[in-house]
Each structure stands twice: as C-alpha cells, then as structure tokens.
Amino acid sequence: MRLDTLFRDRIEAGTVLAKSLGAYRGRGTLVLGIPRGGVVVAAEIARLLEAELDVVVARKLGAPGQPELAIGAVTADGGRFLNDDMLHALQISPSYLDAVTRVQMTEAQHRETWLRNLRPAAPIAGRTVILVDDGLATGATMHAAARALRQRGPARLVAAVPVGTPDACEALRSDVDEVVCPLQPESFGAVGLYYEHFEPVEDEQVRELLEATRGATVGR
C-alpha cells in the first residue's frame, strides 16, 4: 500500500496488518481489539492469523468541563496513561484525577463484561498478544491498554495499527515490544481521513464479532 492510499475500510486495514504479522500465525497468539473500531480491525487479523480474539476497553479521561479533551486514559483493570503536559497546563488537581479515573475504570469494567457476554477474559500470561486499534492519534488509549497488559505477563506484546502519527508510534515503543504501523503520515489530521468508509461501530457489532470469532476458534 502506498503512503498516499486510503484503506477501503477497517476490514481491509486488518488484512494489510495481518500481512506484517504473519510470523505470529498458529502460535497461540491472542489478538485484542480496542472498541469500537479497533475490534473490527482486530477481528480480521485474528481470522487471517487463526488466532483468538478478545477485547480490552480503554476509556478516555476528560478534562474538567471539557470531557472530549483527553488528559489520559484508563483500562478496566487499572492501566493508566496520563498526559503530563496537559495535566500541568490545565492544573488538574489530584482529587479530580482520582475521581475521573474511578468513574472511567468502572465504566470500562461494565463495558468489557457486556461485550464479552459474561465470558471470562482470555488468558494473557506467556502468550504473544497483539493489541489493535483502527488508528493512533494521541496514543493515550493504546498506552493505557499496553501498560495494563504488560502487568499480566505476556511473552511478547505487539501494537498494531493501520495508521498513526510518527511521534505517537515512536512513543508507544516504550510500552510494547514491537509497533506495526504501515501508514505514518507527517501531516496527520484525523484517523477517519485515511479510510474511504469509516462508519461508526456499535457495541452490538463488537459483541457479535467476538462471538463469531470465538466460535470459529473453538471449531478449529
């Protein structure tokens, strides 16, 4: 794929990534998607690698009065990434940070439980784990997820995204063993600009993908 080429959709993006991840086929690999769009990409990777698919929910930590402005991110089991520059610039208090972390961690736990349909999380320890999202802009959710996963003892942790900023990809290398990102434009914009079709993904679709891939894995 040329650097000036768009991905047709998230499924094609997963196909492209799978070509770079072929060394992990058939080795007990676990592919973890970050909802919502990341799970669509991850499902295609898992299908092509004949790997297990699961989900890891990372929730953005919003600034006071500006919930869409991310000051960091947190996962269901406590992985947290904070944007120190943003915290300093906005003078975020420790009490606010603790409160918003608790709220978003609880929400992440509820969403993971619902998306898995009450099934237990896939085991992490000793496995190759591929962490997937549909794009990497600030990288906050990917950092938080990677830090949470690292605490659970994977043999190898790989971050895979179809498109991301060069700076975000480079920064992520401190939290994972390998970063796979085929498209790294210097002038980035938004993730959706690099897809011809970038429709919203609903939670029900994520749940269906997890169920379908789980059934295929069990049947092999």
Side-chain angles (χ1 to χ4, degrees):
M1 173 173 289
R2 304 189 316 274
L3 293 185
D4 59 350
T5 301
L6 297 177
F7 297 102
R8 182 172 60 250
D9 53 23
R10 293 181 179 91
I11 294 175
E12 182 183 71
T15 301
V16 171
L17 283 173
K19 292 177 181 178
S20 299
L21 297 165
Y24 302 117
R25 178 182 289 107
R27 295 169 56 184
T29 296
L30 173 64
V31 181
L32 293 176
I34 296 178
R36 296 179 179 101
V39 178
V40 180
V41 182
E44 186 64 9
I45 293 172
R47 184 183 72 82
L48 293 171
L49 297 187
E50 300 181 341
E52 185 177 1
L53 176 69
D54 201 359
V55 64
V56 55
V57 174
R59 297 281 298 179
K60 179 168 58 180
L61 301 177
Q66 304 179 75
E68 294 305 313
L69 179 61
I71 58 175
V74 67
T75 63
D77 54 357
R80 189 169 76 167
F81 170 78
L82 300 175
N83 185 325
D84 292 332
D85 292 339
M86 190 73 73
L87 294 179
H88 178 74
L90 297 177
Q91 298 183 325
I92 304 297
S93 69
S95 60
Y96 173 83
L97 191 57
D98 289 343
V100 72
T101 295
R102 285 195 300 271
V103 169
Q104 294 304 329
M105 188 182 301
T106 299
E107 177 61 24
Q109 291 167 350
H110 289 163
R111 286 195 69 204
E112 280 198 5
T113 299
W114 188 87
L115 291 171
R116 289 196 181 104
N117 197 17
L118 303 179
R119 296 176 187 270
I124 302 293
R127 304 179 70 178
T128 293
V129 177
I130 302 174
L131 179 62
V132 181
D133 207 349
D134 56 10
L136 194 65
T138 67
T141 54
M142 185 71 84
H143 277 285
R147 291 177 182 184
L149 292 169
R150 183 65 81 186
Q151 296 174 10
R152 294 164 65 184
R156 185 169 182 80
L157 182 57
V158 180
V161 290
V163 58
T165 69
D167 287 346
C169 290
E170 184 59 34
L172 189 58
R173 296 183 191 282
S174 63
D175 287 327
V176 300
D177 298 304
E178 180 183 358
V179 175
V180 176
C181 181
L183 190 57
Q184 299 184 37
E186 291 292 340
S187 179
F188 189 77
V191 171
L193 296 176
Y194 300 93
Y195 290 83
E196 293 179 22
H197 302 285
F198 197 69
E199 293 81 4
V201 178
E202 301 299 329
D203 280 346
E204 188 62 42
Q205 182 181 351
V206 172
R207 188 167 173 170
E208 290 172 358
L209 284 169
L210 291 171
E211 288 294 328
T213 307
R214 181 180 292 112
T217 302
V218 171
R220 280 196 290 269

